Amino acid sequence: MVRGAEMSKRDALPRSVRVFAPASVSNLGCGFDIFGMALERPGDEVVVRAAIGTGIVSVTVTGDLGRVPTDPARNAAALAVEGVLARLGSAASVAIEVHKGIPMASGLGGSAASAVAGAVAADALLGGDLDRTALLECAMIGERKGSGANHADNAAPSLIGGFVLVLPGAPPKMVPLPTPDDLVVAVAHPHMEVETRQAREILGDTIPLMAGVRQWGNAAGMVAGLLQGDWELIARCMCDAVAEPVRARLVPGFEQVKAAALDAGAEAAGLSGSGPSVLALCRGRPAAERVAAAMARAFRDAAGVNSDTVVSGAHAGGARILEIE
Ligand code: HSE
């Protein structure tokens, strides 16, 4: 039986909520699984609607050429929504629409964005007020299905925006970090795919001690550089001693594209997440536009591959509710 107060709360609940969650670049060289930054675009949208039935009654997907699974047990947004229902102890029934704006297997945090948008939309639909950490944990359930691992370096910036250090653990901890005012990110997304799961499997489980020393030195230096607005430190530390050297072979033309970014004036460049996208940190938008064009040219010349480019400020916001009905 529904008591009076619960009844009026339930009556006031919306019928559907639409949420946008942005793409993100992650790792940023030295921060494997712990650094990520939101982009202004592209992004995914997820609509969660109240439905009649039990649990998640349907998942539909657009913008993916039919490739994203619509089975709720394999869909990142649906898994995140299910996480929200479980957290809220809700027996509600919902239908989910996912509108993909982020290319698949691009290294731009597409499954994380769908999962974040699903979690935020479900929470708003059900009148829950899960805090950011709880929403992140729900999104991570969806992300885990795709990559096979527990990492929140895309989901965290997609949720809260900006540059985020996310400390693994239960619960994970999001630490927003400042960026220099003139920081602009240039991204080249070549028209090829790298599955995160595969790009993680080839890394194995162990790293040489000295690679660890370089990596944690650079990660600490990156945090200090961001806090101090010290471009020299940021550029020096955006360097990956662990994953990029192994993964570079998955991205034809990667070394040439990185070199082209630096030649065109980027302060630093490297793989975005597990690739194949390449990101470059630049000072100012004109420099970032030049660097993005140079990276696209290099992908074409070195690998015969066309690319989309994105130029984005570093203060891009996170997930936002677009519509409540
Ligand atoms: N940190 C993750 C990885 C990001 O490098 O595997 C996946 O995009």
Side-chain angles (χ1 to χ4, degrees):
M1 197 181 84
V2 180
R3 288 190 305 272
E6 286 170 11
M7 174 72 95
S8 54
K9 186 180 175 202
R10 200 170 283 187
D11 284 347
L13 292 180
R15 284 177 298 138
S16 82
V17 179
R18 175 186 291 267
V19 171
F20 169 88
S24 53
V25 290
S26 60
N27 295 346
L28 290 115
C30 53
F32 182 74
D33 280 2
I34 61 166
F35 288 153
M37 183 165 25
L39 298 177
E40 287 154 0
R41 67 177 179 86
D44 287 357
E45 286 182 23
V46 173
V47 182
V48 180
R49 283 182 212 290
I52 295 171
T54 316
I56 297 174
V57 296
S58 66
V59 179
T60 54
V61 185
T62 65
D64 67 322
L65 304 173
R67 298 188 42 218
V68 172
T70 54
D71 171 1
R74 294 173 51 226
N75 179 280
L79 286 160
V81 169
E82 208 165 72
V84 170
L85 296 178
R87 287 252 177 174
L88 296 174
S90 168
S93 175
V94 297
I96 301 171
E97 281 169 31
V98 180
H99 301 285
K100 293 296 297 176
I102 304 172
M104 295 185 63
S106 59
L108 296 176
S111 49
S114 290
V116 163
V120 172
D123 182 56
L125 182 82
L126 297 170
D129 47 5
L130 293 182
D131 64 25
R132 315 196 301 185
T133 305
L135 289 170
L136 181 69
E137 287 181 309
C138 294
M140 285 172 72
I141 301 171
E143 168 80 315
R144 187 159 57 230
K145 195 71 189 174
S147 70
N150 237 354
H151 61 95
D153 50 334
N154 289 108
S158 192
L159 180 64
I160 66 171
F163 193 119
V164 186
L165 158 66
V166 59
L167 303 175
K173 168 98 181 143
M174 289 181 278
V175 184
L177 289 169
T179 49
D181 288 342
D182 57 349
L183 172 58
V184 180
V185 188
V187 179
H189 162 235
H191 297 170
M192 59 174 106
E193 295 185 0
V194 171
E195 294 293 342
T196 300
R197 185 182 288 269
Q198 183 205 355
R200 296 182 77 89
E201 278 166 7
I202 63 170
L203 297 180
D205 290 332
T206 55
I207 58 169
L209 178 62
M210 288 320 291
V213 172
R214 282 202 299 280
Q215 196 85 341
W216 56 65
N218 284 334
M222 176 66 87
V223 172
L226 291 168
L227 289 170
Q228 294 167 8
D230 181 339
W231 263 113
E232 203 185 319
L233 198 49
I234 293 167
R236 176 189 169 128
C237 294
M238 196 179 125
C239 171
D240 186 348
V242 172
E244 195 175 280
V246 183
R247 287 172 163 175
R249 67 171 188 263
L250 301 177
V251 184
F254 169 69
E255 296 300 349
Q256 292 92 326
V257 172
K258 184 170 169 174
L262 297 172
D263 281 352
E267 301 299 317
L271 278 182
S272 171
S274 53
S277 294
V278 178
L279 84 113
L281 302 186
C282 306
R283 300 189 72 164
R285 218 164 260 269
E289 299 282 1
R290 274 196 307 278
V291 167
M295 290 196 291
R297 253 193 323 273
F299 261 127
R300 215 169 27 244
D301 294 348
V305 182
N306 287 331
S307 315
D308 299 318
T309 58
V310 177
V311 168
S312 169
H315 300 292
R320 58 180 189 275
I321 294 176
L322 298 177
E323 209 171 63
I324 300 188
E325 281 181 7

